[in-house]
Amino acid sequence: MDSPLSVAAVPAWLLVLPDTDEAAAVAARARPYASEVHAHASGRPWLMGRWRPEELVLGECGGARVAVLGEHAVTPREAARAAAAAGDPASLDSFARSWHGSYHLLASLHGRVRAQGTVTGVRSLCHAGTRGVHLAADRADVLADLVDAPLDEGRLAVQLLSLGVLHPLSQRPVWRGVETLPGHDYLVLERDGRARRARWWRLPRRDVPLAEGAAHLREALRRAVGARVDGRDLVTADLGGVDSTAVVCTAVRAGAKVTAYTAATHDPRGDDVHWARRTVEALAADGEGTVEHHVVPAEDFPLTFDGVDALSDVLDAPSLFAVDHNRRMGLLRLAADRGSTVHLSGFGGDELLAGASARVHDLLRRRPRAAVRHARGYLAKYRWSRRAAVRQLLDRRPYGAWLEQVAADLTEPLPPSDEPLFQWCTPPRMPPWATADAVEAVRALIREEAAAARPLGPGHGEHRELATMQAVSRFARHLNQMTRPLGLLFACPFYDDRVVEAGLAVRPEERVTPWRYKPLIVEAMRGVVPEAGRTRATKANATLEEEVGLRRHRRALLALCEDSRLARLGLVDAKAWRAWCDGPVSAELENVLLHPTVGCEVWLRGREALPRRPRG
C-alpha cells in the first residue's frame, strides 16, 4: 500500500519541530524535500521547508530565537530584540500584537517552541502528534504525509456543505488526527513532547467613532501595503471594486510602480472597468504617477467551469475556487508574465468593511429603537421577508442549540432568496446527491461539536463576520498555493491582523449600515482614492459569467461525474449528481450546492497525481 506525498510536490511549505530527540525521525522524512532548515540553539532541527529566503527574518539572543516568516517589515534587529525579551512563550504577545503584515511568528525559547499564524487564517497552522512527538505545519497535507494520518471521510463529507461557513467544522483538516490552530491562539510545543494552546488575540472594543476609526484604518492599510511594496521595482494588482481600488491607490501614493488588471464581464451592468479607468485617470491628473492599466476583454477571459475537469493544483484542502480556477488564474498568470512577484488584492474588504447585517441582532438588546430602524432599512434594501426577520431577531438560542438545528435540517431545501441574514450564519445544506451515509456522518459531527461549540464573538454579528473572514481567507490561502509555482505571492492586506483590528474597533452601527456602502473605507480613503471614485456605491458580480460558463462548459462538469472519486468513497450518488448537472441550474442560488462538490472531486483527483511513497 502507498500514500500520496505532498511534501515532495508543493513549492512552499513550513514544518515546525519541537526541541526533542523524538522529532528526529519526522525531520529525517522531511529533510530530503526541504530547501531551508533552521535549528534550535541545541542544534536540533526547528524550522524546515520551502520558502523564499527573503521571506524569513531571524533574531537570536542566547538560547532564544525568533523567526518571522511571510509578508512583513520586521528587521533582524527587531526580531533579536523580541528574542532578548522572550523569557517564555507568553512574553512575545506584545510583539505579535504590534508587528504589521501577514506572517507566521515562530520562536524557540530555551527548549520550548511558540508557533502561530494570523487571526483570519490566511497564514494558518495545523498540528498533530505522532510517536510521542507533536509538531506543526502551515499545510495540512504536508503534515498528514509526515505523520501518516489517514483521510477522514466524515470530515471530507463536511466539505460538501453549501456555503462553507460552519464554525468550527468547516475549518477542520480532512485528515484524522490533524487539527487547525485557531487564529486567536498560539501553539506551545513543550520539551516533553506535549502541546498546548494559549490565547493571544481578542476582539477589540467596538467603541471607536467612525472618523477616528477611519484614520486608524488608513494608517493600518498604509503599513500593510507598505510591507508588500517597499523596495520592489514592480507590483501587480487587481483593480475592480472599492476594496481593490483602495489598495492600489494606497500603493501608488506610497510611490510603488503598479501594473493593475481589470477583468471586463459580459454583464452590461458590470461597471468595474468604468470605475477603474476613472481612478487611473484621476491618479495621473493628481500627479501621482501613472498606473500601467490593462483591461482584459470579457471574450478573452475564461468563464466559470472552464477546464474544471483538467485541474492539477496541489492544495491542502478542497476549494470552492475550483470552479473559477482558470478564470482567476488567467489574470494572475498575466501578472507573473509581467515579471511581478507580488500581486495585491482587495480580498477581505467585503467582510470587514460591509460587515454583517446580523449586527442588528446584537443591537436589539442595547438600543432597540436603533435596531428596529436598521432592520427596516435592510428589509427595504434587500426585500427580505418581514416575518422571517422577526423570527430571526427574536431567536435567542445559543450557538450550540443553533448547530443542533442545522444538523436536523441538513437535507431541507435551501433557504429562500428573501431570507434575512440576522442568524449566526446562513444554515448550510447537504446537496441532494449526497448519500445517506454522508449526511449521517456530517450530522453526527455537527452534533458532537454542538455540545461544546462557542461562537467566534459575543454576538451574532461578530461571529458572522469572523466566520466569513475565516471561510474567504481560505480561498485566499488556496490562491497563494496556486500562484506559488509561478513565483507569485497573492497578497491580501485587508486580512492583516492590524487592519482587521482597526476595522472591528469601529462602532458597529456606524461601520455596518443599510444606508451607506462601506462608510469606513469611504472615510478612510479621503486624500488617497481620488474623489472621482471614492464614494462609489456599486459592486459587480460574475453571476452572468457563471450562467454562460455552465452552459458552455457543461461537458467538463459532467466529466467529473464519470468514475467519481467521491462516489468511490460512498459520499455521493454519481447518477443523481450527473442528473443535476445535466439539468437547468440557477447560478444565483442553486450553485452554492454544486461548487463544494466540484471542489472536493477536483481535490481528490489532484491527489492521485502526486508522487507516491511506499509504506513499510
Side-chain angles (χ1 to χ4, degrees), residues 17 45 120 133-134 197 203 229 279 364 374 453 461 552 556 586 596 608:
L17 298 152
T120 62
V133 61
H134 211 91
R197 287 167 28 191
L203 277 165
V229 306
T279 298
L364 191 60
H374 277 246
R552 188 171 299 175
S586 167
E608 294 176 351

Side-chain angles (χ1 to χ4, degrees), residues 63-88:
R65 301 183 177 190
V66 171
V68 185
L69 176 64
E71 307 150 60
H72 59 86
V74 179
T75 65
R77 183 174 181 179
E78 289 176 292
R81 184 168 63 88
D88 57 53

Side-chain angles (χ1 to χ4, degrees), residues 186-263:
Y186 62 81
L187 184 72
V188 178
L189 303 179
E190 301 285 5
R191 299 181 185 91
D192 59 5
R194 293 180 301 156
R196 65 178 178 86
R197 287 167 28 191
R199 187 147 187 165
W200 71 274
W201 188 89
R202 297 185 185 278
L203 277 165
R205 292 181 59 182
R206 282 82 72 198
D207 58 0
V208 177
L210 182 67
E212 181 182 344
H216 294 164
L217 180 67
R218 179 167 57 248
E219 175 61 13
L221 188 60
R222 183 190 69 81
R223 298 190 66 171
V225 171
R228 277 83 172 186
V229 306
D230 289 350
R232 297 186 185 275
D233 295 331
L234 168 71
V235 294
T236 52
D238 297 333
L239 182 55
V242 169
D243 310 325
S244 60
T245 299
V247 171
V248 167
C249 291
T250 299
V252 170
R253 304 284 186 188
K257 180 182 177 182
V258 179
T259 296
Y261 296 90
T262 305

